[in-house]
Amino acid sequence: MEPCSTRQDHNLLFLNDLNCPDAEQAFQITSLLRFPYRWFVLYDDMNNRTNENRESIKKRLLDLPLLADSDFVLAERKGNIFLLTEWHKPSPNGSTYSHPRGFYNGSLQDLRPRRELYWRRKDIMGHPLTMSNVIQDSNTTIYHLPREDRLLLHYDPFAKLCWSHVRMAFEMLNATPRYIFSYRWGYIKDGQWSGMINDLRIGRADLGTNCVANSKRLEVVVFTDSIGQFKVKFIFRQPPLSYLANVFALPFSMTVWVAIALSTVLATVSVYFASKWEVKRIALNSNQLDGSVGDALLLTMSALSQQGCSKEPKGLSGRIMLWVIFTALMALYAAYCANIVVLLQAPSTGIRTVEQLAQSGITLGAIDTDYNRFVFRMFNDPVRASFLQKIEPPKGNPHYYDLYEGVAKIRQGFFAFHSTVDSIYRRAEETFLEMEKCDLKEVDFMNARYPLVPINKHSPYLELLRVAMKRIRESGIQSALHGRIIIPKPKCTHRMTAFSSVGLLNMRPVLYFILYGIIVSVFILLLEIIVNKIINK
């Protein structure tokens, strides 16, 4: 019967007296000899007179599976003193080693050089430890990863980074480094695990490349420290502002637009009364305002658009008023046009979340690797589920590309590429212009924490590896290795403005305005024709 581990097991101490009958049967449950259980075994040499009994007992104790995480203490009585020794095996098939723990002669004396288990067990005598490395970008990683030559870092950079960390941890434990390769992180399908997680589950490997923890994986592996903080995100260039908003409405705030409307009304009223007064004093001709609201509004709108009008006031007061209106609106028109030119060239900041990316209309793609086939099927919410339909459309080819092709599409614009950010940024540093680097943005689709190192759930070296990795991080070696292999987001040292031609996409609001104007004018024309026919009848 296997014991059920609980949170209180680390406080559980088994006391066994070898002088009692059938005392050694307690050792038959080998899982109780492992962490977190502790053993304190009493042995009275005076009750075992013959050398054969003594040797037989010690031989049976030496055959016990006391692995590196075992806490097994033998208290051997020598007269009035109990000598305490702790026993363990650096490897399952190796020899059993004993070290003085202390003695008891009325008071307990602790002779351990360090109380921490790591410092007493960190030498595993060359026992081989195996790491399962996940490679998905290129098979060249099989050659470059064990050599640590830092070549072709576009491919599987985090597998190479994790191997450098783990190999150093193996050396700290005096272990023999070994490695295997897997082409999948590990997913469960039809009750069967695959990839790296399966290597850990069946014991082919002791630990693996960093991966994201989830509830299913926690059932078969244990996660420790994060040694390669890689991120998988959508990377894209922010589209022009005109792609997401009507730039012809952005130059002025709402209060300015309200002020312009009020000024237009006031100017129309002023021109109306001035033209009314002129009609009474001056003879009317074809180029003169007739004193109607329509002519006054037409003249004001002509001044607002800086186009002029065939009808104009003839009196001095009306002309002074017209000159003031044109001069004031000329400054407003110049400011408006200058802002339009800037906005047409400016990138937007309107895509920051998954929801905004899904609604933006930007083409979506992903790197052609195994994990992307699973990532987009993991989510059930409508927003994230829609990404699968865009990347794998029902009609047409799926949008999976290799690294070079995906980054080239990012550079062209209106394309978001889902991959590890380091690989994209390294390629972007080589191919993008300085002004193009300033537009790069990220959107986190998975919204997951940093990946962690998975370790075989029943590995006796779990605590040793965990402490070794923490020492690598605390000593600064992890930061040094990270800086050698991982490249940060390209810095926008100085934003340069480049000329880009204005296309139909930028002029879309204007074209809509012209179209609506044509429709309204045709409708009014038809209405006038109908009214005219009715009057004639």
Side-chain angles (χ1 to χ4, degrees):
M1 177 180 179
E2 292 292 330
C4 296
S5 179
T6 63
R7 296 179 180 179
Q8 292 78 25
D9 286 346
H10 66 280
N11 292 323
L12 183 60
L13 173 67
F14 291 100
L15 178 62
N16 192 352
D17 189 350
L18 293 180
N19 297 305
C20 297
D22 301 326
E24 297 180 30
Q25 292 184 2
F27 301 141
Q28 293 180 0
I29 306 178
T30 57
S31 57
L32 293 177
L33 300 173
R34 299 279 307 279
F35 176 85
Y37 305 103
R38 296 179 295 162
W39 285 82
F40 191 80
V41 179
L42 298 174
Y43 174 62
D44 189 351
D45 197 16
M46 301 300 295
N47 292 338
N48 295 279
R49 303 286 182 179
T50 64
N51 290 330
E52 294 181 0
N53 289 339
R54 297 172 187 168
E55 294 299 328
S56 175
I57 292 175
K58 289 187 176 181
K59 185 178 183 305
R60 289 194 294 271
L61 292 179
L62 291 174
D63 292 337
L64 293 177
L66 305 174
L67 302 181
D69 61 344
S70 298
D71 192 352
F72 186 92
V73 178
L74 177 65
E76 187 175 1
R77 184 173 183 177
K78 300 289 185 180
N80 294 326
I81 299 177
F82 282 91
L83 300 179
L84 309 180
T85 55
E86 58 181 18
W87 294 26
H88 80 282
K89 291 182 177 182
S91 60
N93 299 322
S95 303
T96 302
Y97 290 82
S98 62
H99 301 280
R101 178 77 173 243
F103 63 89
Y104 179 79
N105 58 355
S107 62
L108 180 62
Q109 300 294 326
D110 192 347
L111 300 180
R112 291 176 294 177
R114 300 289 291 266
R115 296 180 61 87
E116 297 84 1
L117 180 67
Y118 169 80
W119 293 102
R120 306 197 310 272
R121 307 285 174 85
K122 64 178 183 178
D123 186 0
I124 62 175
M125 307 293 182
H127 174 66
L129 294 180
T130 305
M131 179 180 184
S132 178
N133 299 276
V134 178
I135 58 172
Q136 293 198 322
D137 295 340
S138 173
N139 286 331
T140 59
T141 305
I142 298 176
Y143 177 83
H144 294 289
L145 181 142
R147 289 166 176 78
E148 300 185 51
D149 50 17
R150 287 189 287 168
L151 298 177
L152 298 181
L153 291 179
H154 300 88
Y155 304 121
D156 303 297
F158 291 100
K160 298 172 182 177
L161 175 63
C162 291
W163 168 251
S164 297
H165 280 82
V166 171
R167 183 193 56 78
M168 190 171 297
F170 287 168
E171 292 179 355
M172 293 171 64
L173 301 179
N174 192 22
T176 301
R178 291 183 180 176
Y179 54 86
I180 59 175
F181 295 99
S182 179
Y183 295 94
R184 178 173 290 181
W185 298 100
Y187 306 93
I188 188 169
K189 186 177 182 180
D190 299 330
Q192 298 294 324
W193 282 97
S194 61
M196 176 190 67
I197 298 298
N198 189 56
D199 292 339
L200 299 177
R201 186 184 67 85
I202 64 178
R204 291 186 65 231
D206 296 281
L207 73 168
T209 306
N210 267 18
C211 67
V212 177
N214 57 43
S215 58
K216 292 293 185 181
R217 289 173 176 172
L218 283 171
E219 295 176 359
V220 292
V221 297
V222 176
F223 289 93
T224 58
D225 210 352
S226 179
I227 56 179
Q229 299 177 355
F230 67 89
K231 302 176 183 177
V232 180
K233 296 183 178 181
F234 276 104
I235 308 296
F236 58 95
R237 292 183 62 195
Q238 280 282 16
L241 189 60
S242 57
Y243 184 80
L244 301 176
N246 181 8
V247 296
F248 296 95
L250 294 179
F252 299 142
S253 63
M254 181 57 66
T255 54
V256 175
W257 285 114
V258 172
I260 292 174
L262 294 177
S263 300
T264 303
V265 172
L266 181 60
T268 302
V269 172
S270 302
V271 172
Y272 169 73
F273 283 110
S275 62
K276 267 290 191 186
W277 182 73
E278 284 185 3
V279 170
K280 295 179 180 179
R281 297 181 61 248
I282 303 175
L284 187 66
N285 57 55
S286 60
N287 295 329
Q288 186 180 352
L289 297 174
D290 59 2
S292 64
V293 177
D295 279 0
L297 182 60
L298 177 63
L299 181 61
T300 305
M301 296 305 297
S302 299
L304 183 64
S305 59
Q306 297 289 294
Q307 296 298 315
C309 182
S310 60
K311 293 183 177 293
E312 58 185 18
K314 298 300 182 179
L316 181 62
S317 61
R319 291 188 174 185
I320 293 175
M321 188 180 300
L322 183 62
W323 180 83
V324 171
I325 293 174
F326 266 92
T327 303
L329 293 179
M330 179 182 65
L332 184 68
Y333 184 83
Y336 181 82
C337 293
N339 282 329
I340 287 293
V341 172
V342 173
L343 292 173
L344 285 174
Q345 303 294 329
S348 68
T349 58
I351 303 178
R352 298 181 179 179
T353 63
V354 175
E355 291 78 9
Q356 293 172 343
L357 180 60
Q359 298 171 3
S360 65
I362 292 179
T363 304
L364 303 179
I367 193 168
D368 191 9
T369 54
D370 176 76
Y371 66 84
N372 274 327
R373 264 72 174 183
F374 291 89
V375 165
F376 295 109
R377 291 174 169 82
M378 291 170 52
F379 301 94
N380 296 321
D381 61 288
V383 175
R384 286 178 169 80
S386 65
F387 279 71
L388 180 61
Q389 300 298 324
K390 296 180 179 180
I391 294 178
E392 298 183 9
K395 297 181 180 180
N397 298 324
H399 300 168
Y400 292 108
Y401 309 97
D402 60 23
L403 178 65
Y404 284 20
E405 187 178 3
V407 175
K409 287 181 174 292
I410 293 176
R411 187 181 181 186
Q412 295 171 4
F414 302 103
F415 182 80
F417 193 52
H418 191 256
S419 177
T420 54
V421 297
D422 175 77
S423 300
I424 296 178
Y425 288 155
R426 187 177 296 276
R427 182 60 180 167
E429 281 282 9
E430 299 173 351
T431 58
F432 278 38
L433 299 177
E434 188 66 29
M435 66 193 71
E436 295 170 339
K437 298 176 185 177
C438 298
D439 301 338
L440 289 174
K441 300 296 179 183
E442 304 174 356
V443 169
D444 192 350
F445 175 80
M446 299 175 61
N447 196 22
R449 294 180 178 271
Y450 283 130
L452 304 172
V453 178
I455 298 182
N456 187 318
K457 199 168 189 177
H458 304 291
S459 173
Y461 309 103
L462 172 61
E463 184 64 19
L464 301 181
L465 291 169
R466 177 184 292 152
V467 175
M469 292 177 186
K470 290 186 180 298
R471 293 190 66 202
I472 292 175
R473 182 181 62 179
E474 293 170 357
S475 62
I477 298 176
Q478 177 175 325
S479 299
L481 291 174
H482 198 276
R484 291 179 180 179
I485 298 178
I486 305 304
I487 187 171
K489 181 180 179 180
K491 294 183 179 180
C492 181
T493 54
H494 55 279
R495 182 178 292 274
M496 296 184 296
T497 302
F499 174 79
S500 60
S501 59
V502 178
L504 291 177
L505 182 63
N506 306 106
M507 303 301 296
R508 181 173 53 185
V510 177
L511 297 177
Y512 285 155
F513 183 77
I514 295 174
L515 179 62
Y516 295 153
I518 293 174
I519 294 175
V520 172
S521 63
V522 171
F523 175 76
I524 294 176
L525 174 62
L526 295 176
L527 185 62
E528 288 179 346
I529 294 174
I530 294 173
V531 171
N532 184 53
K533 289 185 176 181
I534 293 175
I535 293 175
N536 292 335
K537 287 183 180 181

